[in-house]
Amino acid sequence: MTADVTIQAPTVDGIALTETAAIKVKALLDSEGRDDLALRVAVQPGGCSGLRYQLFFDDRKLDGDVNKDFNGVGVVTDRMSAPYLNGATIDFVDTIEKQGFTIDNPNAGGSCACGDSFS
């Protein structure tokens, strides 16, 4: 008798930060000269698609925050934004065409042409 085996893709709990993005965030934090800051990632109403991402350094600790650590880089998401960002990956690109942080979000149903907002 053989058993049926179901293979599931690994699930990502919360937000993920690539190694490249973690290195860039660490460099930016080092330039700030403060060790009490974390990268806060939030989703706010706005943009042409309805929702937009916000990434900024923050020293606040809010009730319900979801905290993750990536090689010494703290990433914080507020409890209202967390469901929109579950499984999302933040990366940093530095090419001739584009420089900056990108967010690959499996929860986004669509995005605008500029890439700054999603639905």
Side-chain angles (χ1 to χ4, degrees):
M1 183 170 156
T2 61
D4 289 332
V5 177
T6 303
I7 299 174
Q8 294 180 333
T11 58
V12 177
D13 181 27
I15 202 163
L17 195 65
T18 66
E19 184 178 352
T20 303
I23 290 168
K24 183 63 176 179
V25 171
K26 179 78 170 125
L28 291 169
L29 284 170
D30 288 347
S31 72
E32 290 289 324
R34 293 178 56 186
D35 60 0
D36 63 333
L37 297 175
L39 177 65
R40 183 171 288 277
V41 184
V43 173
Q44 299 291 321
C48 28
S49 292
L51 297 170
R52 62 187 172 101
Y53 300 111
Q54 288 189 325
L55 283 80
F56 56 97
F57 294 127
D58 198 1
D59 63 354
R60 297 175 298 158
K61 309 279 190 258
L62 304 176
D63 187 39
D65 275 350
V66 178
N67 297 289
K68 293 191 86 172
D69 184 87
F70 297 92
N71 297 325
V73 174
V75 178
V76 180
T77 307
D78 66 86
R79 67 176 170 205
M80 299 301 281
S81 298
Y84 293 103
L85 296 167
N86 194 37
T89 301
I90 298 177
D91 195 8
F92 184 80
V93 294
D94 189 3
T95 67
I96 195 165
E97 296 172 341
K98 183 177 183 179
Q99 181 183 41
F101 290 97
T102 62
I103 300 177
D104 180 16
N105 188 347
N107 303 304
S111 63
C112 62
C114 66
D116 288 336
S117 68
F118 70 101
S119 60

